[in-house]
Amino acid sequence: MTWGEILLIAVGLSMDAVAVSMTNGMVYNGMKKSLQLMQPLAFGGFQALMPLLGGLLAGGILANLVTRFSGIVILAILGIIGIKMLKDGIASLREEVCIRPEMNGRLILIQSVATSLDAFAVGIALKLAGAPLLEAALVIGATTFILVIFAIIIGKKFGDYLGCRAEILGGAILLLIGLKAIL
């Protein structure tokens, strides 16, 4: 496996984290700087950790379970968050009062795990392909880290433009990512 292929895998794996981070930037306007920094660290960290775990546990029962049920878990996690955001966003529009939700570290960690489960399966494939697992995981994590930073910045710009509608769009995006995971 070439480094170009590993970089393409890294970009592909980071797209769910990028979409969720963009949504976070859009919806959670006024997020503390510490939470803004936590996002690329958490998303990049879990995107690097999961392929390592997948490669180390390749062929085991846990690997089979994670690979088999990851789509359902992703849908459940992102679906619950997305539905809540949709509900709250619609309520804000009805009441004509724009109350932006608060972001917290626990939510970022939950999102990070949910968006990195597919990287576990990629770790299994990388090991089977004989790719350098540690180096590939570092490339995946670093790529995600960098792209998430840009996603937050872009999301904040859209959030400023969309106002209260950002929460509705954000909820719909999370639901779509969850649905994509089971298809």
Side-chain angles (χ1 to χ4, degrees):
M1 182 166 288
T2 68
W3 286 106
E5 292 169 328
I6 291 172
L7 184 59
L8 287 175
I9 290 169
V11 170
L13 283 175
S14 70
M15 287 299 107
D16 285 349
V18 165
V20 171
S21 297
M22 190 176 298
T23 299
N24 288 345
M26 191 170 53
V27 173
Y28 300 101
N29 203 5
M31 188 184 324
K32 295 177 192 173
K33 296 286 183 197
S34 60
L35 293 175
Q36 289 179 23
L37 177 61
M38 183 182 179
Q39 286 185 82
L41 290 171
F43 283 103
F46 277 102
Q47 287 288 2
L49 178 64
M50 289 299 193
L52 284 175
L53 291 175
L56 293 173
L57 300 173
I61 294 171
L62 179 61
N64 291 333
L65 287 173
V66 171
T67 303
R68 185 177 209 183
F69 296 108
S70 66
I72 295 167
V73 173
I74 293 168
L75 174 61
I77 293 170
L78 296 182
I80 289 168
I81 297 168
I83 288 169
K84 182 180 181 330
M85 288 171 67
L86 278 170
K87 183 180 153 225
D88 292 347
I90 291 168
S92 290
L93 282 180
R94 284 188 184 147
E95 295 171 12
E96 297 180 12
V97 176
C98 188
I99 300 171
R100 289 290 184 85
E102 289 289 322
M103 173 56 78
N104 60 60
R106 192 177 113 239
L107 180 59
I108 292 171
L109 289 175
I110 291 169
Q111 292 174 336
S112 298
V113 170
T115 58
S116 66
L117 288 175
D118 54 348
F120 185 91
V122 169
I124 296 169
L126 289 170
K127 179 163 182 157
L128 295 174
L133 198 56
L134 179 60
E135 292 88 345
L138 291 173
V139 169
I140 291 166
T143 301
T144 302
F145 179 90
I146 292 166
L147 292 176
V148 163
I149 290 171
F150 287 111
I152 294 167
I153 294 167
I154 293 167
K156 288 175 81 172
K157 296 289 184 197
F158 278 112
D160 292 342
Y161 176 73
L162 293 171
C164 284
R165 290 180 213 87
E167 193 168 9
I168 295 169
L169 179 59
I173 290 169
L174 292 183
L175 275 173
L176 289 173
I177 294 169
L179 289 171
K180 178 193 76 96
I182 62 169
L183 299 178

